[in-house]
Amino acid sequence: MSESKYLSRKWLLCAYIAIAGTVMRYFDLLDQTGLLSAWGLSASGYGLANVAQKQFEKTPTNETA
C-alpha cells in the first residue's frame, strides 16, 4: 500500500504554516501582507522540498565494491 502524501512531514509542515498564518490573521496578529507571505512561504517550501527530494532520489550512490 502506498503512503499518502498528506502524511508526509513536508506536507504537514506546509499545512501547519498556512493554518498558523490564517489563525494569526484572524486574531489580528498579522496584517494581510504577513498572511500572504506565510502562505507563499509554505507553498514555496513544499515545492522546494519536492524538487530536493526528487533530485536526491535521482543522484546515484557511490558504491564501492
Side-chain angles (χ1 to χ4, degrees):
M1 184 160 65
S2 66
E3 186 176 326
S4 173
K5 75 174 183 177
Y6 299 113
L7 295 177
S8 70
R9 282 179 272 159
K10 60 186 170 193
W11 174 257
L12 291 175
L13 183 61
C14 173
Y16 174 76
I17 293 172
I19 292 169
T22 304
V23 170
M24 290 175 72
R25 176 67 180 131
Y26 178 78
F27 287 110
D28 214 16
L29 298 171
L30 278 179
D31 61 350
Q32 189 65 28
T33 305
L35 176 62
L36 294 175
S37 297
W39 285 349
L41 172 69
S42 67
S44 62
Y46 183 76
L48 289 172
N50 275 337
V51 170
Q53 181 182 10
K54 293 198 184 335
Q55 183 64 31
F56 181 74
E57 290 172 354
K58 285 175 34 176
T59 304
T61 58
N62 294 331
E63 295 179 15
T64 57

